[in-house]
Amino acid sequence: MLQLDMHVHTVHSHDGSCTVERAVEAARAAGLNGIAVTDHDTVAGHSEAKKNSSDRFLVIPGMEISSADGHIVALGIGELVPKGLPAAETVELIKKQGGVAIAAHPFAPIRRPDIVYRAKFDAIEGINSRAMLLSNPLAQRFAKKKNLAIVAGSDAHHCADIGMARTHIDCDLKLEVILEKIRRGETSISGRTLPISTFLLRALQKAFGRTDER
């Protein structure tokens, strides 16, 4: 059974503090089989992702796209998807690349929960470690009600947070196989949210600049 963190940010995100190499090291130490590099509105880390991926540890190329309707995680893409487009158009562009489109933390505070109705997503992010209050239970409930696949990701912006949320898939460690398993809903999830103290610490770190994790 593979354990994968499907939502990880690196220094290629404006608010990330972990290099791709260090993200892989942290993920291996946490017992993961792979991670998805999902930086904000960029694929700049994809070349590093490819260098750090192997037959023993998979680094999935992706991105977190700021659509006009909210954040969308794309997995298995190779080209930039522009930000600012409607969710439906964003999802269409992801699928044209053979990627998987995921509604990221749709019920988190200050987000737009109506995004889940604005496009045909492949999956819902059921656990996001940075999503507070009832956002994760609401996402899981929605996915179950609509019979949608469910995934989990830490949404880590720091190396120490990688692996807090995990997607479990029973298959070979191959990108296309994993993507197809997600599309078919053959996944399970586990994880937890950041402790309030850590969440507040991360907010302060973001306000005053990146930590020295590179």
Side-chain angles (χ1 to χ4, degrees), residues 59-163:
V59 184
I60 299 171
M63 64 183 293
E64 183 173 13
I65 305 154
S66 303
S67 81
D69 302 305
H71 288 185
I72 299 171
V73 165
L75 302 179
I77 63 170
E79 299 178 6
L80 183 74
V81 176
K83 66 180 180 179
L85 299 175
E89 187 175 350
T90 302
V91 168
E92 183 179 351
L93 291 173
I94 293 169
K95 293 183 178 182
K96 279 185 177 180
Q97 292 192 44
V100 163
I102 301 165
H105 45 63
F107 297 97
I110 77 171
R111 303 298 181 183
R112 291 184 56 179
D114 63 334
I115 188 175
V116 296
Y117 299 103
R118 292 178 175 269
K120 294 183 178 180
F121 291 99
D122 294 299
I124 299 293
E125 190 174 52
I127 298 179
N128 178 299
S129 294
R130 288 163 54 90
M132 298 287 108
L133 304 175
L134 294 175
S135 50
N136 288 327
L138 287 172
Q140 293 171 38
R141 179 180 177 183
F142 180 84
K144 184 176 182 179
K145 180 179 179 181
K146 298 297 183 178
N147 197 30
L148 283 168
I150 194 165
V151 299
S154 63
D155 199 357
H157 289 65
H158 296 75
C159 293
D161 301 338
I162 294 172

